[in-house]
């Protein structure tokens, strides 16, 4: 970049370039600006100011270009849009998903004045400091990215799509929240035919809880069940947030009519069940806020005879409240906790009840919302029986719609490493044909660590039948360490007392470099040679000769008794 700040539109603003620069870099440490190199910060601001010279109301401006510098090519990304929630985390999540590394990020929020055509007339300063009547609060983002993963035009188009999703989600947040409360009032006034009072009350409580900042509403739509029960048809005009048509659209909305989602056999059976509440994960990641799989909260609709005729669906993300609040204060989870307590034959105020509650509070919260009460009770009771025993235990649950497998895995804490986790992921990927695996880890002072994997099959694929016991055995094998193999090999070669003595001496004697090159069987032979050097009758020097790992190679080892 060779452009300099004086040639930018900032020269014509009140206060000139210095005033814009002061607001633009207001929250950037001076040494960070200086560290970018001579003239770089000025050139960045000049390019950004040219982009922002004219911005029609409500439009997001995006440009991406290659920074031509001596130290490798980088891509610069500039954004100017109305200031609103979720902008930075949504854009950074996108560029990370595309494979870029962010090397510099600026996010000035500016108070500006523009004329009726969107031309920039004045920069009043940082928006947080002052934005008097008639000014606009704008978010200006500058990112510098390493790793050429897409063309600049492709990157800019992807960012515009995300910004479009952010805008409609923010614009429709209040209508979606209002819809949640309206639905709760309607259910409280008149529950559907065939639905019990307890089930209806639970749905009412959940809808009101969602509206209390416990759910980030991102999309909503009404759906009608197809007459043959093979799919759901979106009701035109009901869409809000990311589910309503918008430009640039990132959701498949047909120009000639509403969207029809065809069911898999599993989904068809679930859709017709006379069950009021649907809690699951959507099969796409959020483009807004954080790149997690979207949470799907549905309320089925029924005709006068109690037959399912559709669904009223929210898409979004549970907020931090849903992950931090006690399960005893969250609708749906409270009922599940009560069921588990009953299955355990205890109450929350007893010692055993507190143990049950401890497992429930630490249970992966997304899984807790989705798992049925009976399955949850069986897992919790098994975890309690597991206690502090050093063993591997895996609990697998198939998604009701056949899209993913959830795997809750307990294993000895001292075996938890990144290498072990990646081995486990490989086991699950092969076992279920997954193309995407998410995980969360919990490591405390307990003897056992816990990993929760969610292994997703490719969209449109059917989840295969899996042998839970076989997968557990393979996962247990994946946690084994080199020291575990050594213990088995020494135990097989020696009597128990001798094996125990050798392991006390040699279990931690081998360096990492040795373990990377040699297996446990080879170590047993080396231990034998080392032992031959011991005692008054022992040799002071020993040699061994064996074939090398490569064809035609040989390996000579020398063992010497240390003085």
């Amino acid at each position: 970049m060779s452009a300099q700040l004086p040639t930018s539109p900032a020269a014509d603003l009140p206060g000139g370039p210095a005033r814009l620069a002061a607001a633009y870099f207001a929250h950037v440490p001076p040494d960070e600006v200086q560290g970018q190199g001579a003239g770089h910060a000025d050139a960045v601001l000049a390019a950004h100011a040219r982009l922002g010279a004219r911005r029609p109301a409500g439009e997001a401006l995006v440009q991406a270009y290659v920074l031509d510098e001596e130290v490798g090519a980088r891509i610069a990304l500039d954004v100017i849009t109305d200031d609103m929630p979720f902008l930075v985390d949504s854009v950074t999540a996108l560029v990370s998903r595309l494979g870029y590394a962010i090397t510099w990020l600026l996010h000035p929020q500016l108070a500006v004045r523009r004329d009726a055509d969107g031309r920039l007339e004045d920069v009043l300063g940082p928006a947080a400091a002052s934005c008097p009547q008639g000014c606009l609060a704008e978010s200006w983002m500058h990112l510098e990215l390493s790793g050429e993963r897409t063309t600049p035009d492709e990157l800019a188009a992807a960012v515009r799509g995300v910004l479009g999703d952010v805008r409609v989600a923010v614009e429709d947040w209040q209508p979606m929240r209002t819809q949640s409360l309206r639905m709760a009032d309607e259910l409280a006034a008149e529950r559907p035919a065939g639905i019990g009072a307890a089930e209806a009350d639970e749905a009412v409580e959940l809808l009101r809880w969602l509206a209390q900042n416990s759910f980030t509403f991102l999309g909503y739509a009404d759906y009608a069940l197809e007459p043959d029960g093979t799919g759901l048809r979106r009701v035109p005009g009901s869409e809000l947030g990311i589910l309503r048509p918008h430009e640039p659209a990132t959701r498949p909305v047909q120009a000639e009519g509403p969207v029809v989602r065809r069911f898999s056999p599993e989904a068809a059976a679930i859709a017709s069940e006379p069950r009021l509440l649907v809690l699951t994960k959507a099969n796409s990641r959020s483009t807004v806020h954080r790149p997690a799989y979207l949470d799907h909260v549905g309320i089925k609709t029924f005709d006068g005879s109690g037959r399912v005729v559709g669904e009223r669906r929210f898409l979004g993300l549970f907020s931090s409240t849903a992950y931090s609040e006690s399960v005893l204060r969250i609708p749906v989870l409270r009922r599940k906790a009560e069921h588990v307590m009953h299955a355990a034959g205890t109450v929350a105020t007893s010692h055993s009840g507190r143990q049950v509650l401890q497992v429930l509070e630490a249970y992966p919260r997304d899984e807790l919302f989705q798992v049925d009460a009976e399955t949850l009770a069986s897992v919790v009771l098994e975890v309690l029986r597991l206690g502090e025993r050093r063993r591997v235990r895996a609990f697998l649950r198939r998604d009701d719609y056949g899209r993913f497998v959830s795997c809750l895995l307990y294993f000895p804490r001292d075996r938890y490493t990144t290498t072990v986790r990646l081995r486990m992921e490989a086991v699950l990927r092969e076992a279920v044909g997954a193309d995407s695996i998410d995980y969360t880890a919990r490591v405390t002072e307990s003897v056992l660590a816990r990993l929760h994997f969610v292994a997703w099959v490719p969209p449109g694929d059917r989840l295969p039948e899996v042998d839970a016991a076989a997968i557990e055995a393979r996962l247990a094998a994946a946690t084994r360490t080199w020291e575990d193999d050594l213990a088995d090999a020494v135990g097989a070669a020696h009597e128990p007392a001798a094996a125990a003595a050798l392991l006390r001496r040699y279990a931690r004697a081998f360096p990492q470099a040795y373990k990377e090159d040699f297996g446990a069987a080879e170590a047993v032979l080396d231990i034998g040679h080392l032992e031959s050097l011991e005692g008054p009758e022992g040799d002071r020097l020993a040699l061994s000769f064996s074939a090398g790992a490569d064809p035609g190679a040989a390996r000579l080892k020398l063992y010497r008794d240390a003085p």
Side-chain angles (χ1 to χ4, degrees):
M1 290 175 57
S2 58
Q4 296 298 311
L5 184 58
T7 65
S8 80
D12 299 326
L13 298 177
R19 184 160 156 183
L20 174 60
Y24 191 86
F25 296 110
H27 301 294
V28 184
D31 58 341
E32 182 178 321
V33 176
Q34 295 166 5
Q36 298 300 314
H40 181 73
D42 286 348
V44 162
L45 180 52
H48 217 158
R50 283 195 298 274
L51 176 66
R54 181 176 179 274
R55 185 177 78 87
E59 184 174 325
L61 305 179
V62 182
Q63 67 180 7
Y65 54 92
V66 175
L67 287 169
D68 186 14
E69 297 182 347
E70 293 181 2
V71 187
R74 290 181 295 165
I75 289 183
L77 173 67
D78 290 333
V79 173
I80 302 175
T81 187
D82 295 316
D83 192 35
M84 64 186 78
F86 310 136
L87 287 172
V88 174
D89 44 6
S90 299
V91 171
T92 55
L94 170 68
V95 298
S96 296
R97 180 173 60 80
L98 293 176
Y100 289 101
I102 301 172
T103 60
W104 201 27
L105 169 64
L106 300 174
H107 180 220
Q109 295 158 289
L110 305 181
V112 305
R113 282 201 178 95
R114 294 184 181 273
D115 65 17
D117 292 328
R119 291 183 178 84
L120 186 63
E121 293 184 326
D122 195 5
V123 176
L124 306 176
S130 173
C131 192
Q133 187 174 5
C135 89
L136 294 172
E138 293 187 340
S139 183
W140 292 41
M141 283 183 279
H142 173 77
L143 293 84
E144 295 182 11
L145 313 172
S146 64
E148 296 182 55
R149 306 298 183 184
T150 64
T151 67
D153 287 345
E154 290 170 338
L155 174 61
V159 171
R160 290 189 190 97
V162 165
L163 295 176
D165 285 353
V166 171
R167 180 175 291 277
V168 294
V170 171
E171 288 176 348
D172 288 354
W173 174 82
Q174 187 59 53
M176 287 186 282
R177 179 179 179 275
T178 300
Q179 178 71 350
S180 181
L181 292 172
R182 182 184 300 119
M183 288 166 57
D185 292 341
E186 291 172 358
L187 281 173
E190 182 179 2
R191 68 175 184 266
I195 298 299
E199 186 177 358
D201 290 345
E202 185 175 65
V204 168
E205 291 177 6
L206 180 68
L207 288 168
R208 289 175 177 164
W209 177 79
L210 294 178
Q212 295 171 358
N213 296 323
S214 300
F215 192 73
T216 302
F217 294 97
L218 298 179
Y220 171 83
D222 293 336
Y223 291 84
L225 190 64
E226 290 286 271
D228 60 2
T230 62
L232 284 173
R233 178 178 294 273
R234 189 182 298 166
V235 177
S238 68
E239 306 99 330
L240 294 171
I242 59 174
L243 290 178
R244 71 170 160 99
H246 58 280
E247 291 295 336
T250 58
R251 295 290 180 271
V253 179
Q254 299 172 353
E256 69 278 8
V259 168
V260 177
R261 290 183 58 86
R262 295 298 175 187
F263 289 144
S264 65
E266 295 93 341
I270 295 170
S272 60
E273 288 180 354
R275 178 165 51 101
L276 182 60
L277 187 60
V278 179
L279 285 174
T280 185
K281 288 285 186 180
N283 58 2
S284 59
R285 293 184 184 272
S286 173
T287 57
V288 180
H289 189 24
R290 63 179 191 268
Y293 279 92
L294 287 160
D295 291 299
H296 167 168
V297 180
I299 302 294
K300 291 183 181 180
T301 55
F302 300 79
D303 62 15
S305 63
R307 185 175 62 91
V308 178
V309 294
E311 181 186 325
R312 307 170 81 177
R313 178 180 301 176
F314 293 99
L315 294 180
L317 298 168
F318 285 112
S319 70
S320 59
T321 301
Y323 296 94
S324 60
E325 195 169 8
S326 171
V327 295
L328 299 180
R329 293 195 292 271
I330 298 177
V332 177
L333 302 193
R334 178 170 57 240
R335 175 186 59 81
K336 291 181 180 181
E338 292 169 353
H339 179 89
V340 174
M341 290 289 181
H342 179 74
T346 187
V347 293
T349 54
S350 68
H351 174 70
S352 58
R354 287 193 293 272
Q355 288 181 310
V356 171
L357 186 59
Q358 185 178 12
V359 175
L360 287 170
E361 297 286 14
Y363 210 87
R365 198 54 62 94
D366 284 338
E367 179 70 3
L368 204 55
F369 275 106
Q370 298 170 59
V371 67
D372 64 88
E374 289 73 21
T375 301
L376 176 63
S378 67
V379 172
V380 170
L381 294 179
E382 183 63 25
V383 170
L384 289 172
R385 284 190 288 270
L386 185 61
E388 295 290 290
R389 286 183 291 167
R390 289 178 55 84
R391 60 163 297 187
V392 178
R393 191 72 174 87
F395 304 95
L396 273 69
R397 181 184 68 85
R398 288 173 59 90
D399 168 48
D400 291 341
Y401 297 90
R403 302 163 303 167
F404 62 82
V405 164
S406 168
C407 177
L408 195 61
L409 181 69
Y410 292 83
F411 62 101
R413 180 185 62 189
D414 55 14
R415 297 186 180 185
Y416 179 43
T417 64
T418 299
T419 299
V420 167
R421 176 180 60 80
L422 292 175
R423 283 187 206 145
M424 294 175 176
E425 287 188 11
V427 169
L428 289 173
R429 195 178 299 275
E430 179 184 348
V432 305
D435 71 341
S436 172
I437 297 182
D438 294 335
Y439 81 95
T440 57
R442 178 178 171 83
V443 182
T444 65
E445 68 279 0
S446 169
V447 169
L448 299 176
R450 191 198 71 201
L451 281 172
H452 179 223
F453 294 105
V454 181
W456 291 78
V457 298
D461 285 7
R462 295 288 303 279
L463 189 65
E465 293 297 329
V466 295
D467 184 335
I471 292 178
E472 182 180 79
R474 292 179 61 191
L475 290 171
T479 70
R480 288 183 60 85
T481 64
W482 190 91
E483 287 76 11
D484 293 329
D485 293 337
L486 178 64
D488 288 349
V490 171
H494 299 275
E495 293 297 323
L502 291 173
L503 287 173
R504 283 195 297 271
R505 185 171 188 181
Y506 292 102
R508 300 187 181 278
F510 293 91
Q512 186 62 35
Y514 179 97
K515 291 185 283 188
E516 291 175 358
D517 290 338
F518 301 104
E522 184 85 3
V524 170
L525 298 176
D526 289 337
I527 288 173
H529 287 296
L530 291 170
E531 287 292 301
S532 72
L533 305 178
E534 295 293 320
E537 303 299 326
D539 297 325
R540 304 294 295 176
L541 191 68
L543 297 172
S544 72
F545 184 83
S546 61
D550 298 325
R555 178 178 287 137
L556 176 67
K557 289 184 182 179
L558 171 67
Y559 309 86
R560 184 174 67 87
D561 186 19

